Coordinates of all heavy atoms in Angstrom, one line a residue:
A1 N -15.7 -20.7 -2.4 CA -15.7 -20.1 -3.8 C -17.1 -19.7 -4.1 O -17.4 -18.6 -4.7 CB -15.2 -21.1 -4.8
A2 N -18.1 -20.5 -3.8 CA -19.5 -20.2 -4.1 C -20.1 -19.1 -3.3 O -20.9 -18.3 -3.8 CB -20.3 -21.5 -4.0
L3 N -19.7 -19.0 -2.1 CA -20.2 -18.0 -1.2 C -19.5 -16.6 -1.2 O -19.9 -15.7 -0.6 CB -20.3 -18.5 0.2 CG -21.2 -19.7 0.5 CD1 -21.0 -20.2 1.9 CD2 -22.6 -19.4 0.2
A4 N -18.4 -16.5 -2.0 CA -17.6 -15.3 -2.0 C -18.5 -14.1 -2.3 O -18.4 -13.0 -1.6 CB -16.4 -15.4 -3.0
P5 N -19.3 -14.1 -3.4 CA -20.1 -12.9 -3.7 C -21.1 -12.5 -2.6 O -21.4 -11.4 -2.4 CB -20.9 -13.3 -5.0 CG -20.1 -14.5 -5.5 CD -19.6 -15.2 -4.3
I6 N -21.6 -13.5 -1.8 CA -22.5 -13.2 -0.7 C -21.7 -12.6 0.4 O -22.2 -11.6 1.1 CB -23.2 -14.5 -0.2 CG1 -24.1 -15.1 -1.4 CG2 -23.9 -14.3 1.0 CD1 -24.7 -16.4 -1.0
Q7 N -20.5 -13.1 0.7 CA -19.7 -12.5 1.8 C -19.4 -11.1 1.6 O -19.3 -10.3 2.5 CB -18.5 -13.4 2.0 CG -18.8 -14.8 2.6 CD -17.5 -15.6 2.8 OE1 -16.7 -15.7 1.9 NE2 -17.4 -16.2 3.9
T8 N -19.1 -10.7 0.3 CA -18.7 -9.3 0.1 C -19.9 -8.4 0.3 O -19.7 -7.2 0.4 CB -18.2 -9.1 -1.3 OG1 -19.1 -9.6 -2.3 CG2 -16.9 -9.9 -1.5
R9 N -21.1 -8.9 0.3 CA -22.3 -8.0 0.4 C -23.0 -8.3 1.8 O -24.2 -8.1 1.9 CB -23.3 -8.3 -0.7 CG -22.7 -7.9 -2.1 CD -23.8 -7.8 -3.1 NE -24.5 -9.0 -3.3 CZ -24.2 -9.9 -4.2 NH1 -23.1 -9.8 -4.9 NH2 -24.9 -11.0 -4.3
D10 N -22.3 -8.8 2.7 CA -22.9 -9.2 4.0 C -22.6 -8.2 5.1 O -21.5 -8.2 5.6 CB -22.4 -10.6 4.5 CG -22.8 -10.9 5.9 OD1 -23.7 -10.3 6.4 OD2 -22.1 -11.7 6.5
P11 N -23.5 -7.2 5.4 CA -23.2 -6.2 6.4 C -23.2 -6.7 7.8 O -22.8 -6.0 8.7 CB -24.3 -5.1 6.1 CG -25.4 -5.9 5.6 CD -24.8 -7.0 4.7
T12 N -23.7 -7.9 8.0 CA -23.8 -8.5 9.4 C -22.4 -9.0 9.8 O -22.2 -9.1 11.0 CB -24.8 -9.6 9.4 OG1 -24.3 -10.7 8.7 CG2 -26.2 -9.2 8.9
G13 N -21.6 -9.4 8.9 CA -20.3 -10.1 9.3 C -20.5 -11.6 9.7 O -19.5 -12.3 9.9
L14 N -21.7 -12.1 9.7 CA -22.0 -13.4 10.2 C -21.4 -14.5 9.2 O -21.0 -15.6 9.6 CB -23.5 -13.7 10.4 CG -24.1 -12.9 11.6 CD1 -25.6 -13.1 11.5 CD2 -23.5 -13.5 12.9
S15 N -21.3 -14.1 7.9 CA -20.8 -15.1 6.9 C -19.4 -15.4 7.2 O -18.9 -16.5 6.8 CB -21.0 -14.6 5.5 OG -20.3 -13.4 5.3
G16 N -18.7 -14.6 7.9 CA -17.3 -14.9 8.3 C -17.2 -16.0 9.3 O -16.1 -16.5 9.5
L17 N -18.3 -16.4 9.9 CA -18.3 -17.5 10.8 C -18.4 -18.9 10.1 O -18.3 -19.9 10.8 CB -19.4 -17.4 11.8 CG -19.4 -16.1 12.6 CD1 -20.7 -16.1 13.5 CD2 -18.2 -16.0 13.5
L18 N -18.6 -18.9 8.8 CA -18.8 -20.2 8.1 C -17.5 -21.0 8.2 O -16.4 -20.4 7.9 CB -19.2 -19.9 6.7 CG -20.6 -19.3 6.4 CD1 -20.7 -18.8 5.0 CD2 -21.6 -20.4 6.7
P19 N -17.6 -22.3 8.5 CA -16.4 -23.1 8.5 C -16.0 -23.5 7.1 O -16.4 -24.6 6.6 CB -16.8 -24.3 9.4 CG -18.3 -24.4 9.1 CD -18.7 -23.0 8.9
L20 N -15.1 -22.7 6.4 CA -14.8 -22.9 5.0 C -13.4 -23.5 4.7 O -13.0 -23.4 3.6 CB -15.1 -21.6 4.3 CG -16.5 -21.0 4.3 CD1 -16.5 -19.7 3.6 CD2 -17.5 -22.0 3.7
G21 N -12.8 -24.0 5.7 CA -11.5 -24.6 5.5 C -10.4 -23.6 5.2 O -10.5 -22.4 5.6
N22 N -9.3 -24.1 4.6 CA -8.2 -23.2 4.3 C -8.4 -22.4 3.0 O -7.7 -22.6 2.0 CB -6.9 -24.1 4.1 CG -6.5 -24.8 5.5 OD1 -6.8 -24.3 6.5 ND2 -5.9 -25.9 5.4
T23 N -9.3 -21.5 3.1 CA -9.6 -20.6 2.0 C -10.0 -19.2 2.5 O -10.3 -19.1 3.7 CB -10.7 -21.2 1.1 OG1 -10.9 -20.4 0.0 CG2 -12.1 -21.1 1.9
F24 N -9.8 -18.3 1.6 CA -10.1 -16.9 2.1 C -11.6 -16.6 2.3 O -12.4 -17.1 1.6 CB -9.6 -15.9 1.0 CG -8.1 -15.7 1.1 CD1 -7.3 -16.5 0.3 CD2 -7.5 -14.7 1.8 CE1 -5.9 -16.3 0.3 CE2 -6.1 -14.5 1.9 CZ -5.3 -15.3 1.1
R25 N -11.8 -15.8 3.4 CA -13.2 -15.2 3.5 C -13.1 -13.8 2.9 O -12.0 -13.3 2.7 CB -13.5 -15.1 5.0 CG -14.0 -16.3 5.7 CD -13.0 -17.4 5.8 NE -13.4 -18.4 6.8 CZ -12.8 -19.6 6.9 NH1 -11.8 -19.9 6.2 NH2 -13.2 -20.4 7.9
Y26 N -14.2 -13.3 2.6 CA -14.3 -12.0 1.8 C -15.0 -11.0 2.7 O -16.2 -11.1 2.9 CB -15.0 -12.3 0.5 CG -14.3 -13.3 -0.4 CD1 -14.5 -14.6 -0.2 CD2 -13.4 -12.9 -1.4 CE1 -13.8 -15.6 -1.0 CE2 -12.8 -13.8 -2.2 CZ -13.0 -15.1 -2.0 OH -12.3 -16.1 -2.7
Y27 N -14.2 -9.9 3.0 CA -14.8 -8.9 3.9 C -14.8 -7.6 3.2 O -13.8 -7.2 2.5 CB -14.0 -8.8 5.2 CG -14.0 -10.0 6.1 CD1 -12.8 -10.7 6.3 CD2 -15.2 -10.5 6.7 CE1 -12.8 -11.8 7.1 CE2 -15.2 -11.6 7.5 CZ -14.0 -12.3 7.7 OH -14.0 -13.4 8.5
S28 N -15.7 -6.7 3.5 CA -15.7 -5.3 3.1 C -16.4 -4.6 4.3 O -17.4 -4.9 4.8 CB -16.5 -5.1 1.9 OG -16.8 -3.7 1.7
V29 N -15.6 -3.5 4.8 CA -16.2 -2.8 5.9 C -17.3 -1.8 5.5 O -18.0 -1.2 6.3 CB -15.1 -2.0 6.6 CG1 -14.0 -2.9 7.1 CG2 -14.5 -0.9 5.7
T30 N -17.5 -1.7 4.2 CA -18.6 -0.8 3.7 C -19.8 -1.5 3.2 O -20.7 -0.9 2.7 CB -18.0 0.1 2.6 OG1 -17.6 -0.7 1.5 CG2 -16.8 0.9 3.1
G31 N -19.8 -2.9 3.2 CA -20.9 -3.7 2.6 C -20.7 -3.9 1.1 O -21.6 -4.5 0.5
G32 N -19.7 -3.4 0.5 CA -19.4 -3.5 -0.9 C -18.5 -2.4 -1.4 O -18.5 -1.4 -0.9
V33 N -17.8 -2.7 -2.5 CA -16.8 -1.7 -3.0 C -16.9 -1.7 -4.5 O -16.9 -2.8 -5.2 CB -15.4 -2.1 -2.6 CG1 -14.4 -1.1 -3.1 CG2 -15.2 -2.3 -1.1
D34 N -17.0 -0.5 -5.1 CA -17.0 -0.4 -6.5 C -15.7 -0.9 -7.1 O -14.6 -0.6 -6.6 CB -17.1 1.1 -7.0 CG -18.6 1.6 -6.8 OD1 -19.5 0.8 -6.9 OD2 -18.7 2.8 -6.5
E35 N -15.8 -1.7 -8.2 CA -14.6 -2.3 -8.8 C -13.9 -1.2 -9.6 O -14.5 -0.3 -10.3 CB -15.0 -3.4 -9.7 CG -13.8 -4.2 -10.3 CD -14.2 -5.5 -10.9 OE1 -15.3 -5.9 -10.7 OE2 -13.3 -6.2 -11.5
Q36 N -12.6 -1.1 -9.5 CA -11.8 -0.1 -10.1 C -11.0 -0.7 -11.3 O -10.3 -1.7 -11.2 CB -10.8 0.6 -9.2 CG -10.1 1.7 -9.8 CD -9.5 2.6 -8.8 OE1 -8.3 3.0 -8.8 NE2 -10.3 3.1 -7.8
D37 N -11.2 -0.1 -12.5 CA -10.5 -0.6 -13.7 C -9.0 -0.5 -13.6 O -8.5 0.6 -13.1 CB -11.0 0.2 -14.9 CG -10.4 -0.3 -16.2 OD1 -10.9 -1.3 -16.7 OD2 -9.4 0.3 -16.6
A38 N -8.3 -1.5 -13.9 CA -6.8 -1.5 -13.8 C -6.2 -0.3 -14.5 O -5.2 0.3 -14.1 CB -6.2 -2.8 -14.2
G39 N -6.8 0.0 -15.7 CA -6.2 1.2 -16.4 C -6.4 2.5 -15.8 O -5.6 3.4 -16.1
D40 N -7.4 2.6 -14.9 CA -7.6 3.9 -14.2 C -7.0 4.0 -12.8 O -7.1 5.0 -12.2 CB -9.1 4.1 -14.1 CG -9.8 4.3 -15.4 OD1 -9.2 4.8 -16.4 OD2 -11.0 3.9 -15.6
Y41 N -6.4 2.9 -12.4 CA -5.9 2.8 -11.0 C -4.7 3.8 -10.8 O -3.9 3.9 -11.7 CB -5.4 1.4 -10.7 CG -4.8 1.2 -9.3 CD1 -5.6 1.1 -8.2 CD2 -3.4 1.3 -9.2 CE1 -5.1 1.1 -7.0 CE2 -2.9 1.2 -7.9 CZ -3.7 1.1 -6.8 OH -3.1 1.0 -5.5
R42 N -4.8 4.4 -9.6 CA -3.6 5.3 -9.2 C -3.4 5.1 -7.8 O -4.3 5.0 -6.9 CB -4.0 6.8 -9.5 CG -4.2 7.1 -11.0 CD -3.0 7.0 -11.8 NE -3.2 7.4 -13.2 CZ -3.7 6.7 -14.1 NH1 -4.0 5.4 -13.9 NH2 -3.8 7.2 -15.4
L43 N -2.1 5.0 -7.4 CA -1.7 4.9 -6.0 C -0.9 6.1 -5.7 O 0.2 6.4 -6.2 CB -0.8 3.7 -5.8 CG -0.2 3.5 -4.4 CD1 -1.2 3.4 -3.3 CD2 0.8 2.3 -4.4
S44 N -1.4 6.9 -4.8 CA -0.8 8.2 -4.4 C 0.2 8.0 -3.2 O -0.1 7.2 -2.3 CB -1.8 9.2 -4.0 OG -2.5 8.9 -2.9
V45 N 1.3 8.7 -3.2 CA 2.2 8.7 -2.1 C 2.4 10.2 -1.7 O 2.8 11.0 -2.5 CB 3.6 8.1 -2.4 CG1 4.5 8.1 -1.2 CG2 3.4 6.7 -3.0
S46 N 2.0 10.5 -0.5 CA 2.0 11.9 -0.1 C 2.4 12.1 1.4 O 2.9 11.2 2.0 CB 0.5 12.4 -0.3 OG -0.4 11.7 0.6

């Protein structure tokens, strides 16, 4: 829980090696993602 913000901003991917038990690791392939407001969210089907 404490390292989640660091993992989302880790471009090396090394933080995914941390032995953190049965909990989620946090990955972004871009090094970070802008948060999208739920009211503005749209899902397109095309």
Side-chain angles (χ1 to χ4, degrees):
L3 294 175
I6 294 174
Q7 289 179 312
T8 57
R9 297 197 300 273
D10 170 22
T12 70
L14 290 172
S15 59
L17 301 176
L18 291 167
L20 298 178
N22 293 332
T23 189
F24 281 90
R25 280 65 162 170
Y26 299 80
Y27 297 117
S28 163
V29 301
T30 63
V33 182
D34 285 330
E35 190 164 351
Q36 188 161 129
D37 181 82
D40 296 330
Y41 177 80
R42 298 293 185 273
L43 174 59
S44 67
V45 183
S46 63

